[in-house]
Amino acid sequence: MIEVYLAIDFGSTYTKLTAINLNDREIIASTKALTTVEIDVMQGFDKAYGELLDIFDNKFGKNYIIKYRNACSSAAGGLKIVAVGLVPDLTTEATKIAALSAGARVIKTYAFALSDSDIEEIENLDYDILVLSGGTNGGNREYILKNARKIVESKIIKTVIVAGNEYVQDEIKEIFKNSKFEFFMSENVMPVVNKINAENLREIIREVFMKNIVKAKGMENVQKIVENIIMPTPAAVMKAAEILSDGTENIDGIGNVLVVDIGGATTDVHSIGKGLPKTNNIQLKGLEEPYSKRTVEGDLGMSYSSMALYEATTLNKIRAYLGRKESKISIKDSFKYREQNPNFIAEQEEDLLFNEMMAMICTEIATNRHAGVLECIYSPMGTIFSQSGKDLTDIKYIVGTGGIIANSRNPQKILELALYKEEDTLSLKPKYAKFLVDKEYILSAMGLLSKDFPDIALEIMKKNMIEV
């Protein structure tokens, strides 16, 4: 009897099913259908699932059992978070980094004392969880307590996670105790200055997501056919990247990786590695970056945010990457058409080239924002350098995923834009990385699988990632 692990990804555009043969440690089949979140996500799932069962019956007859069914989700915009901290570059930024690593989108951040207009804005935002932080342990108490009272007195009805100064936890609990809020206490996301403590907050965000968010998005029927919505899709991709990079207890990984995931609405970038300064004459500026880092660029997408992508770049760059000169009007109309028709599938040669150009720009801008930079500082002791962000120069592999890269005829042309350029001398982007393509779009599935079967997940990724 063949034991099957079924990984389900309820994506913003497609619901993707990946079936893994646990006996032979290989992918049996994968199917997909449009995610029907506006109606009932089960309709899209049922279509993809029916196709998968047909494949099973043709291959195995009745000699199989689907032993595990687990899912991740980014349907209906995924997990959205509002972050409230103390100092913008410290606790607020630390909270944002932790939330992103949990697979969330941070749609708005606030710092210092919340004003009445801030509260009114938060009341009207579309999000799922409010994370309240502020103060190192034993540090500032005033702002987090003031903001907690302000939130309790407001019309906000979202789940709250408190991840600030642990010396005021008892007072915070008292403030929230008899309120309407579902609230959770986390370890301080920044217990000492410039040190991020993301793990506990990340785990609580994941637990809240599993407990509440899925139901809130009309996905209660999903629970009848899967064991669990384990995590948001971006968190599953991050988990897969960590396993691929670091390996497991029994199998070596491939080394530090950078994952570029281009979607219809966002471009996500994940990097695995310390990224610390390489020499003593380089000083680290600001927060120490997390080992596993994720950034989300909401203005870089192939459809839903294509007009934002148009605004984020230049006409000269668009023409250069297209390899031909088109009028400004026709270029802008092409971006606008993709935003207005998010299910558009490029088939004509000119549309394929246009999509390739868009993906190149998404890759370049997103990795520029993700990677660290050096700054020259002239002092009486001579020139020294300050590093902001992660040093990615020694990344071994750049992994491309997402529909545009998986289906591209020339994915290397897209992924090369993630590399360091000589003219950007202070950039800390990868210098000598090789390119791997997630051709079958399996990273999220392998992130799910790795929770129970890390060795199998790593073996499958090593077999299925295609070097270009």
Side-chain angles (χ1 to χ4, degrees):
M1 182 68 70
I2 295 165
E3 294 184 351
V4 176
Y5 183 106
L6 180 59
I8 306 158
D9 178 2
F10 292 97
S12 56
T13 305
Y14 286 100
T15 294
K16 298 172 282 290
L17 276 59
T18 304
I20 297 105
N21 183 333
L22 294 176
N23 306 77
D24 294 339
R25 301 183 169 219
E26 63 181 15
I27 294 173
I28 302 168
S30 57
T31 59
K32 67 178 181 180
L34 286 172
T35 299
T36 48
V37 71
E38 299 87 356
I39 317 162
D40 182 343
V41 291
M42 288 303 295
Q43 289 190 20
F45 170 83
D46 288 341
K47 185 176 186 298
Y49 190 59
E51 292 175 8
L52 197 68
L53 292 182
D54 288 342
I55 294 171
F56 286 173
D57 291 342
N58 290 332
K59 278 190 175 184
F60 311 120
K62 299 300 179 185
N63 188 38
Y64 70 88
I65 178 172
I66 301 178
K67 196 165 184 180
Y68 304 91
R69 293 179 175 88
N70 286 311
C72 56
S73 174
S74 59
L79 175 61
K80 298 187 284 290
I81 281 179
V82 165
V84 179
L86 177 52
V87 181
D89 292 337
L90 293 174
T91 49
T92 303
E93 183 64 17
T95 304
K96 180 180 177 181
I97 289 170
L100 288 170
S101 71
R105 284 177 59 203
V106 180
I107 62 167
K108 188 77 177 180
T109 62
Y110 299 86
F112 302 114
L114 291 170
S115 65
D116 290 341
S117 59
D118 290 336
I119 289 292
E120 185 177 352
E121 184 177 52
I122 294 170
E123 288 172 347
N124 292 297
L125 288 173
D126 176 22
Y127 65 102
D128 304 301
I129 299 172
L130 189 152
V131 180
L132 174 62
S133 64
T136 56
N137 287 342
N140 184 282
R141 305 161 58 94
E142 175 190 352
Y143 284 97
I144 190 170
L145 290 171
K146 184 175 181 179
N147 287 338
R149 293 188 186 98
K150 197 96 173 173
I151 289 166
V152 166
E153 293 164 3
S154 73
K155 297 176 184 176
I156 296 169
I157 54 172
K158 305 296 183 181
T159 298
V160 175
I161 301 175
V162 181
N165 186 347
E166 293 177 23
Y167 284 46
V168 297
Q169 281 194 350
D170 289 341
E171 292 170 78
I172 292 284
K173 289 176 184 175
E174 195 63 32
I175 291 170
F176 279 98
K177 188 169 74 172
N178 296 315
S179 71
K180 62 183 180 295
F181 288 90
E182 179 181 42
F183 77 97
F184 298 83
M185 301 300 299
S186 167
E187 293 175 6
N188 194 345
V189 74
M190 199 178 76
V192 297
V193 175
N194 287 337
K195 293 288 184 182
I196 298 177
N197 173 34
E199 193 57 42
N200 187 240
L201 175 58
R202 184 163 65 177
E203 185 59 27
I204 293 173
I205 289 173
R206 191 181 75 86
E207 288 175 5
V208 174
F209 171 79
M210 289 169 59
K211 183 180 176 184
N212 296 329
I213 307 307
V214 172
K215 294 178 183 176
K217 294 196 181 336
M219 296 179 70
E220 59 276 1
N221 291 329
V222 173
Q223 300 287 13
K224 299 173 185 176
I225 50 91
V226 303
E227 291 170 36
N228 253 319
I229 302 285
I230 291 181
M231 63 185 87
T233 299
V237 175
M238 175 74 87
K239 182 68 177 174
E242 290 171 343
I243 292 285
L244 182 62
S245 174
D246 297 337
T248 67
E249 290 183 7
N250 304 308
I251 306 173
D252 290 337
I254 64 173
N256 293 349
V257 301
L258 181 78
V259 178
V260 180
D261 185 356
I262 304 175
T266 68
T267 296
D268 291 14
V269 181
H270 308 254
S271 60
I272 312 299
K274 292 181 179 177
L276 295 171
K278 289 190 171 60
T279 59
N280 291 332
N281 70 327
I282 300 176
Q283 300 175 349
L284 188 63
K285 180 181 177 182
L287 291 174
E288 184 178 311
E289 298 275 337
Y291 182 81
S292 300
K293 178 183 177 180
R294 170 178 174 250
T295 51
V296 183
E297 308 304 337
D299 59 340
L300 307 178
M302 299 295 296
S303 55
Y304 296 99
S305 55
S306 58
M307 280 306 295
L309 174 63
Y310 173 77
E311 298 292 341
T313 188
T314 66
L315 200 57
N316 286 340
K317 184 153 285 188
I318 290 170
R319 287 172 173 160
Y321 290 172
L322 267 180
R324 61 181 191 267
K325 288 192 175 181
E326 290 189 14
S327 72
K328 179 178 179 180
I329 294 173
S330 66
I331 287 173
K332 188 172 184 178
D333 285 346
S334 294
F335 277 94
K336 188 178 292 184
Y337 182 81
R338 283 158 173 77
E339 184 171 282
Q340 294 173 345
N341 300 274
N343 294 327
F344 168 70
I345 297 174
E347 295 176 348
Q348 302 298 318
E349 180 70 13
E350 63 180 37
D351 290 326
L352 291 168
L353 290 173
F354 197 91
N355 279 6
E356 189 176 76
M357 171 274 295
M358 292 175 67
M360 291 167 71
I361 294 172
C362 285
T363 300
E364 183 174 36
I365 297 176
T367 52
N368 283 346
R369 294 174 181 174
H370 184 93
V373 293
L374 292 177
E375 179 186 356
C376 289
I377 300 172
Y378 301 100
S379 73
M381 306 298 292
T383 302
I384 58 174
F385 291 93
S386 170
Q387 175 183 322
S388 299
K390 291 180 81 170
D391 184 342
L392 305 177
T393 53
D394 61 355
I395 286 285
K396 291 188 176 180
Y397 289 96
I398 296 171
V399 181
T401 188
I404 181 62
I405 293 178
N407 297 314
S408 173
R409 298 167 298 178
N410 191 2
Q412 182 175 343
K413 187 177 179 182
I414 297 171
L415 295 176
E416 281 177 346
L417 273 298
L419 291 175
Y420 169 87
K421 290 182 179 179
E422 290 294 337
E423 58 265 33
D424 298 325
T425 55
L426 298 178
S427 169
L428 294 173
K429 291 171 72 173
K431 286 191 173 181
Y432 313 108
K434 297 177 181 179
F435 304 113
L436 297 175
V437 175
D438 179 15
K439 199 72 179 173
E440 301 301 321
Y441 214 166
I442 63 169
L443 277 182
S444 60
M446 293 305 102
L448 288 171
L449 180 65
S450 68
K451 297 288 286 184
D452 298 307
F453 303 100
D455 289 353
I456 297 177
L458 181 53
E459 285 180 21
I460 290 174
M461 283 191 283
K462 283 186 170 183
K463 259 193 302 190
N464 287 270
M465 295 292 158
I466 298 171
E467 188 168 338
V468 296

